[in-house]
Amino acid sequence: MKPIWIVDDDQSIRFVLEKALTREDFPVRSFTNPRDVLAALDDEEPQVLVSDIRMPGGSGIDLLSKVKAKYPGLPVIIMTAYSDLDSAVSAFQGGAFEYLPKPFDLPKAVELIRRAVEESVREDVLDERLTQMPEMLGQAPAMQDVFRAIGRLSQSNVTVLITGESGAGKELVARALHKHSPRANGPFVAINTAAIPKDLLESELFGHERGAFTGAQTMRRGRFEQADGGTLFLDEIGDMPFDLQTRLLRVLSDGQFYRVGGHHPLKSNVRVIAATHQNLEDRVRQGVFREDLFHRLNVIRLRLPALRERREDIPTLAKYFLQKSAKDLGVEAKRISDTALAKLSHFDFPGNVRQLENICHWLTVMAPAQVIEIKDLPPELLESRLTGAPLSDGPAPAAVPVAALTSTPATPEPVDDEAGISQSTAEVPPLPFVHKIDGMATAASGQGWIKDLEREARARLESGQTDVWDVLTRQFEASLIHTALELTRGRRIEAAQKLGIGRNTITRKIQELGIDD
């Protein structure tokens, strides 16, 4: 792992942080001023940068902007003894990972740096994946079938029909088929036959001669000519006008066509890939789609799954689209919390991948903070019924950590007391099926509490609540941790050992759940 860089003119701060991070097996490098940091960046890159805000020879805010210009994904934590609004706003506007006011509690500072390291490692792995992301559409089993089909078709020029709902990514599959075909060096030309008026579609496809109709002042090459030697992608083929279907069938049969107003046959060596969200067999039965054209197109059929059929791909796609939107808009890429990702993963996405991309673009513009939480999601998504697997169907999607299925309540920042135990004014309401005996939370004897849980879940589900998983999971975790802390008299490490979880996990959960331990 790359070292954590600490920048502060105060020797005592550097010393304390160095010792604490070294105990946690983090490599550390310290600097006394921003100039030395910028010089060192020419040769190496830190995993995380922790910088004071006011130092001789430069400010932490200026350093932040210069570092972010060079390494946009590097987490930067800004420290300051001047806890004023302007400093906090400047830090976050500059893309800081977090703002740490002095004096700070050392364990909390180390935990914050650890979270920044974990975020940095995740982003490093994600960056490697995202270099291929426009073609790597997903890791779900349904998508693996599509990948295998693309591989089998890689040396073929056969006509392919792609079916799937609108927004599922049919054009991306078509581009992948072209890229991995013998025609990869030729042009890829796409046309949406449903988006062009009937009177203009024939000219778009086959071109026209000068004077062929009013306004045709020059000769124009059509898409078949433009795609010569490459691939022509005909999207929404099911909406093609019936009379044009006859001309298309002729081209597919012998490669010959005429420009509108032309008298000389032209030939074009084109591979056709068609796509539709409609059931073409039904269109044939209705008499609006030619049966012979259907059979000509339906040589190889690829069905592209809807996004709700591959929920495990949603977190990776969301992070990719957030980075893509940030790059398009020229702003710092926002991160999305695990709880918000879990919420997204349980949404049905009737608009599929295109809808997810639009949501990520909206979040890039509208989300107020650098880390996107559930409350920042678009109103129409929060107001819609979020669906997904019920509690009895198993765990959450594989790409989303189970711990992410707990909501993060809006609670005041916990403050450590003299014993190092987190205090908070907010309380998580106890589980209705857990009983209190002499101040100790104890489960009902036998398996009775399971039945109580089932009754509570059923009552909430039947009442139409859509956050049952989040609420009950949060209450269950809070009760476990609260009980363990009571047994250990607030000793977190011992409580974590009894629960079989790590000390960092219990610290994070105490903060997330607002537990008064």
Side-chain angles (χ1 to χ4, degrees):
M1 190 184 77
K2 292 172 286 191
I4 296 165
W5 288 9
I6 300 169
V7 192
D8 200 312
D9 60 313
D10 188 331
Q11 183 180 1
S12 61
I13 295 293
R14 297 197 307 271
F15 178 81
V16 168
L17 284 176
E18 284 176 8
K19 292 299 181 185
L21 292 171
T22 302
R23 282 197 300 270
E24 298 291 328
D25 296 325
F26 286 121
V28 185
R29 183 177 177 184
S30 292
F31 300 84
T32 59
N33 61 77
R35 290 191 304 272
D36 293 343
V37 175
L38 295 173
L41 282 174
D42 293 334
D43 301 318
E44 58 180 314
E45 176 189 358
Q47 195 75 43
V48 171
L49 178 65
V50 184
S51 174
D52 191 21
I53 201 168
R54 299 188 185 182
M55 296 171 285
S59 76
I61 298 299
D62 291 340
L63 177 62
L64 172 66
S65 64
K66 292 174 182 176
V67 168
K68 282 292 183 178
K70 192 167 186 177
Y71 298 108
L74 175 65
V76 178
I77 298 171
I78 295 294
M79 304 181 293
T80 180
Y82 306 92
S83 302
D84 58 278
L85 177 63
D86 289 343
S87 297
V89 170
S90 298
F92 284 117
Q93 285 182 341
F97 178 81
E98 191 54 87
Y99 176 78
L100 184 62
K102 298 177 182 178
F104 49 78
D105 179 74
L106 189 57
K108 282 192 174 183
V110 172
E111 181 62 25
L112 175 60
I113 294 171
R114 184 186 299 279
R115 283 200 294 114
V117 169
E118 292 171 353
E119 177 72 20
S120 177
V121 171
R122 277 200 301 268
E123 292 301 317
D124 287 344
V125 173
L126 183 63
D127 287 342
E128 293 177 7
R129 293 178 184 168
L130 296 186
T131 56
Q132 309 176 59
M133 191 59 191
E135 183 181 52
M136 289 287 292
L137 301 176
Q139 297 299 320
M143 287 307 300
Q144 293 302 311
D145 292 339
V146 175
F147 297 157
R148 279 190 285 272
I150 293 172
R152 294 189 188 104
L153 293 167
S154 62
Q155 297 304 313
S156 171
N157 284 315
V158 67
T159 301
V160 178
L161 176 64
I162 306 170
T163 61
E165 296 179 6
S166 294
K170 295 187 288 294
E171 183 172 340
L172 285 177
V173 174
R175 289 183 180 276
L177 285 167
H178 170 73
K179 179 180 177 181
H180 295 282
S181 75
R183 297 173 175 267
N185 293 327
F188 177 88
V189 178
I191 181 172
N192 187 325
T193 59
I196 300 174
K198 175 183 175 181
D199 296 339
L200 298 179
L201 183 56
E202 184 178 16
S203 173
E204 283 290 323
L205 286 172
F206 306 111
H208 61 253
E209 299 289 352
R210 180 180 179 184
F213 50 83
T214 303
Q217 299 178 354
T218 60
M219 184 276 291
R220 185 179 184 278
R221 297 166 65 237
R223 302 301 175 92
F224 271 94
E225 286 183 80
Q226 295 170 20
D228 187 33
T231 301
L232 177 62
F233 175 54
L234 301 175
D235 199 7
E236 300 302 350
I237 192 71
D239 293 308
M240 176 174 277
F242 195 84
D243 52 348
L244 277 183
Q245 294 175 25
T246 305
R247 293 202 61 181
L248 177 59
L249 180 63
R250 176 67 183 272
V251 181
L252 294 177
S253 301
D254 58 17
Q256 262 193 177
F257 64 94
Y258 292 84
R259 295 195 190 109
V260 176
H263 303 287
H264 302 290
L266 302 173
K267 287 190 73 73
S268 184
N269 177 17
V270 172
R271 180 196 191 181
V272 171
I273 297 176
T276 181
H277 74 281
Q278 303 189 61
N279 187 316
L280 288 188
E281 287 93 336
D282 287 347
R283 302 282 287 174
V284 170
R285 284 191 290 270
Q286 294 164 9
V288 293
F289 199 86
R290 292 184 60 108
E291 184 174 6
D292 47 3
L293 177 58
F294 167 70
H295 291 302
R296 178 69 68 173
L297 293 171
N298 193 36
V299 180
I300 299 291
R301 188 188 300 207
L302 290 182
R303 179 188 174 274
L304 192 57
L307 186 55
R308 63 182 173 276
E309 297 174 39
R310 52 186 186 109
R311 297 182 188 275
E312 56 265 57
D313 290 336
I314 292 174
T316 303
L317 288 169
K319 290 176 182 177
Y320 166 71
F321 287 136
L322 285 172
Q323 290 209 353
K324 181 175 180 291
S325 294
K327 183 177 179 181
D328 293 343
L329 295 171
V331 297
E332 175 74 13
K334 291 182 178 177
R335 299 179 295 276
I336 184 165
S337 70
D338 288 341
T339 51
L341 275 178
K343 210 72 167 175
L344 277 180
S345 297
H346 285 76
F347 184 60
D348 264 353
F349 288 102
N352 291 293
V353 178
R354 185 182 298 123
Q355 184 181 12
L356 176 59
E357 182 175 11
N358 290 341
I359 286 173
C360 291
H361 193 76
W362 185 93
L363 288 169
T364 300
V365 176
M366 299 299 294
Q370 205 58 28
V371 177
I372 298 166
E373 302 292 350
I374 290 178
K375 62 181 174 20
D376 301 321
L377 297 177
E380 63 271 18
L381 190 150
L382 293 175
E383 292 165 5
S384 300
R385 182 176 180 83
L386 298 180
T387 61
L391 291 175
S392 59
D393 282 354
V400 183
V402 174
L405 296 176
T406 58
S407 295
T408 304
T411 59
E413 178 70 20
V415 180
D416 278 15
D417 63 13
E418 293 180 357
I421 301 174
S422 176
Q423 303 290 331
S424 174
T425 57
E427 293 183 359
V428 176
L431 280 166
F433 51 87
V434 174
H435 304 289
K436 289 264 187 174
I437 301 177
D438 295 333
M440 299 277 289
T442 61
S445 61
Q447 294 299 310
W449 70 275
I450 294 289
K451 294 297 183 184
D452 289 336
L453 172 61
E454 291 174 355
R455 283 193 292 270
E456 178 69 17
R458 180 181 293 276
R460 290 174 179 267
L461 291 168
E462 289 178 347
S463 69
Q465 294 184 28
T466 59
D467 59 351
V468 176
W469 177 277
D470 287 348
V471 171
L472 293 186
T473 301
R474 188 162 67 89
Q475 291 181 0
F476 181 73
E477 289 181 335
S479 294
L480 283 178
I481 294 172
H482 185 77
T483 301
L485 288 170
E486 283 190 339
L487 288 172
T488 61
R489 300 183 182 275
R491 293 186 290 274
R492 295 184 185 181
I493 295 178
E494 186 178 343
Q497 291 172 345
K498 285 182 177 294
L499 291 171
I501 60 178
R503 62 176 182 175
N504 293 325
T505 300
I506 197 171
T507 299
R508 186 180 73 251
K509 286 294 181 184
I510 286 171
Q511 293 177 346
E512 287 179 355
L513 300 170
I515 297 173
D516 181 359
D517 58 349

